[in-house]
Every structure is written in C-alpha cells, then in structure tokens.
C-alpha cells in the first residue's frame, strides 16, 4: 500500500491547519499509520503562538512548524486534502493528481481580539474540535 499524503489547508496556515497537522502526526504515531502530513495556506501568516501553546497543553509540540503556501505542494503526490475553513475550500486549487477532498469549517480563534489568557478558551475549543475531527477522519482513511 502506498503512503497516504495528507495536506491540511487553511487561509494563512497559522492556527487551525497547524493544529490539525499536529493532531494528524499524533494519530500517525498512535495508530502506526503510513501517512505523511503537510499543512499549507492560500496565504502565509506565520505560526500562531497561541495555537502552539494550547497544543502543548495536550502534549503535542508544533513549535517547529512553519507557515507554507499551497503552491509548495502542487504536483507532489498529495492524495488527501482537508480544508479547515470555508475560504480555503473556496480557494483550493485543482490538483493534477486524483485527490480526495474533505471539508470542515472550524471557528477561527485568532479572529478574537487578543486579550491574553481570556482568548485561550476559544483556542482550546477549536483544538478539541479539530482533535475530534481528526480521530474520526483517521477511521475513514484507515
């Protein structure tokens, strides 16, 4: 069986797609899956430090991730694309390969006014929703 290459796509590849990337890598290790995980945006906004912080609370380190553009992954054998926001779903390019697309719009906690720890519950809520989605998604592609 060939390695499944999963690309998580969001607008800026800074928060939701990075969280999903982290959860997919965690699930890969947990279930010994033959998958490669990538994330990208239709733009790049840099890695969101609050996303890093709430993922670390669950023992997942995404601090080494970088914000990349979708263009970096065209024609690379991506077999699955997950769009995690409506904007990315609308902007998702046509891949030359046969790609299975899945869409789930998650709320964007980075859109909240930065009020220190008061925004962390919104990040945790999105993190937990993404976690639940990823574990359900893994069951579908296994």
């Amino acid at each position: 069986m060939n390695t499944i290459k999963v690309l998580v796509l969001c607008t800026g590849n800074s928060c939701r797609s990075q969280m999903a990337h982290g959860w997919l890598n965690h699930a890969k290790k947990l279930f010994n899956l033959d998958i490669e995980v990538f994330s990208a945006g239709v733009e790049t906004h840099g890695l969101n430090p609050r996303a890093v912080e709430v993922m670390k609370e669950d023992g997942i380190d995404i601090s080494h991730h970088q914000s990349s553009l979708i263009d970096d992954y065209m024609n690379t054998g991506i077999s699955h694309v997950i769009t995690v926001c409506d904007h990315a779903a609308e902007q998702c390019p046509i891949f030359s390969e046969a790609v299975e697309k899945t869409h789930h719009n998650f709320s964007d906690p980075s859109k909240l006014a930065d009020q220190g720890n008061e925004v962390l519950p919104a990040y945790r809520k999105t993190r937990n929703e993404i976690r639940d989605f990823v574990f359900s998604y893994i069951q579908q592609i296994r």
Side-chain angles (χ1 to χ4, degrees):
M1 180 177 189
N2 291 337
T3 299
I4 296 172
K5 292 185 176 185
V6 180
L7 175 66
V8 185
L9 183 62
C10 196
T11 299
N13 191 221
S14 66
C15 184
R16 294 166 289 180
S17 54
Q18 296 289 356
M19 287 182 189
H21 186 164
W23 278 116
L24 283 161
N25 274 335
H26 178 73
K28 171 185 173 176
K29 294 174 191 168
L30 193 63
F31 298 112
N32 194 29
L33 301 172
D34 187 17
I35 64 173
E36 284 184 71
V37 183
F38 310 94
S39 63
V42 294
E43 307 163 6
T44 58
H45 295 169
L47 185 59
N48 183 303
R50 300 253 188 250
V52 172
E53 181 178 352
V54 298
M55 289 298 288
K56 192 170 282 189
E57 290 174 355
D58 276 1
I60 299 171
D61 182 9
I62 62 169
S63 64
H64 60 283
H65 288 196
Q66 295 182 6
S67 188
S68 344
L69 283 173
I70 181 68
D71 298 346
D72 298 340
Y73 298 97
M74 300 304 294
N75 304 313
T76 60
I78 296 296
S79 57
H80 294 69
V81 173
I82 302 170
T83 51
V84 294
C85 71
D86 289 339
H87 181 252
E90 293 165 4
Q91 299 296 316
C92 188
I94 304 296
F95 283 80
S96 60
E97 305 92 2
V99 172
E100 181 180 311
K101 292 183 183 176
T102 303
H103 174 65
H104 188 97
N105 188 51
F106 294 98
S107 60
D108 186 357
S110 68
K111 296 294 184 201
L112 299 172
D114 191 1
Q115 299 170 0
N117 288 340
E118 293 179 27
V119 299
L120 286 178
Y123 280 86
R124 290 181 185 118
K125 179 179 183 290
T126 299
R127 175 202 62 203
N128 294 344
E129 290 171 354
I130 290 171
R131 176 199 61 216
D132 294 347
F133 168 82
V134 163
F135 282 100
S136 174
Y137 179 79
I138 289 296
Q139 297 304 315
Q140 295 172 22
I141 66 168
R142 285 177 70 177

